[in-house]
Amino acid sequence: MAFAPSSTPSVTGDAPVAPGDVHLPDTARDLVKILVAGPFGVGKTTLIGSVSEIRPLHTEEPISAASAPLDDLAGVRDKSTTTVAVDFGRISLPGGVVLYLFGTPGQERFRALWDDIAYGALGALVLVDSRRIDASFDVLGLVEETGLPYAVAFNAFPDAPRHHTGEQLRAALDLAPGTPMVTCDARDADSSVDALLALVQHLIDRHAPEDR
């Protein structure tokens, strides 16, 4: 499937799908699988839940005494559950673009699931916590190994440092100049949709004719 430049989605102009409606809208044209990736506790489940027009699928389980030593809780001490398989949601964008969102577990021990979840995806939105940037390196490496185009979204935690410039953050993650980088609040639907739109636009640009 390829995007046409004219299919650039807009946040205005079409009637939204009613929350909880399981049926695809009649205007659906491009069905796109997107990964929502990132380290443990970065907000992947929250983002998918905030934007999904259907009841999202979550596979969260309590963090047990056995798993606690395996999961780095630094910076996420209040987190009591973790995704053990996949999160799933769906959002219909104006222009006939429908995103199927697959949230991936962020821990190394779930790496065996990665290839199966990533199969058929067109791109990835990688969530990053600026309080613990180094926690994102392994996930970014996985995304790049699969060859998926991606955008980076810094989830705006209340106590996140505000003094970093965009250039500093891009350098810290060693991002290519053309990789989109945005800030979002995973709890807020509009903010999360904007992050997804940045990724969709990146995919459109990559598929656009070179002589456009």
Side-chain angles (χ1 to χ4, degrees):
M1 191 210 79
F3 286 109
S6 61
S7 66
T8 305
S10 166
V11 294
T12 61
D14 289 358
V17 174
D21 189 347
V22 298
H23 301 289
L24 280 173
D26 293 337
T27 55
R29 185 183 64 201
D30 291 325
L31 310 181
V32 183
K33 180 178 181 180
I34 295 294
L35 298 189
V36 179
F40 172 67
V42 78
K44 303 180 294 293
T45 300
T46 300
L47 184 142
I48 291 174
S50 74
V51 302
S52 183
E53 67 198 15
I54 60 174
R55 182 178 180 180
L57 167 68
H58 297 310
T59 56
E60 288 200 302
E61 294 293 337
I63 297 174
S64 65
S67 66
L70 302 175
D71 297 327
D72 184 4
L73 296 175
V76 287
R77 291 292 177 185
D78 295 333
K79 187 170 177 60
S80 60
T81 61
T82 184
T83 299
V84 297
V86 66
D87 291 319
F88 175 76
R90 189 190 78 202
I91 177 172
S92 299
L93 302 177
V97 177
V98 178
L99 305 184
Y100 290 99
L101 306 176
F102 288 77
T104 62
Q107 298 97 310
E108 177 64 25
R109 68 180 185 276
F110 294 115
R111 182 165 183 166
L113 294 172
W114 178 266
D115 288 342
D116 288 338
I117 297 174
Y119 182 79
L122 258 62
L125 180 67
V126 181
L127 287 182
V128 175
D129 183 347
S130 60
R131 303 170 301 176
R132 46 193 185 101
I133 288 177
D134 57 344
S136 300
F137 294 160
D138 287 345
V139 173
L140 283 169
L142 274 175
V143 173
E144 291 177 351
E145 283 176 22
T146 60
L148 285 175
Y150 65 93
V152 168
F154 286 88
N155 194 7
F157 289 93
D159 58 342
R162 308 293 180 182
H163 58 276
H164 296 311
T165 65
E167 290 77 10
Q168 289 171 328
L169 293 172
R170 184 175 291 275
L173 292 173
D174 193 25
L175 298 181
T179 301
M181 191 178 73
V182 299
T183 299
C184 76
D185 183 340
R187 301 166 299 179
D188 181 78
D190 289 340
S191 179
S192 298
V193 168
D194 285 344
L196 290 167
L197 286 172
L199 171 62
V200 171
Q201 185 61 59
H202 182 50
L203 298 178
I204 291 171
D205 291 343
R206 286 174 59 89
H207 286 84
E210 293 183 1
D211 58 351
R212 181 174 55 152

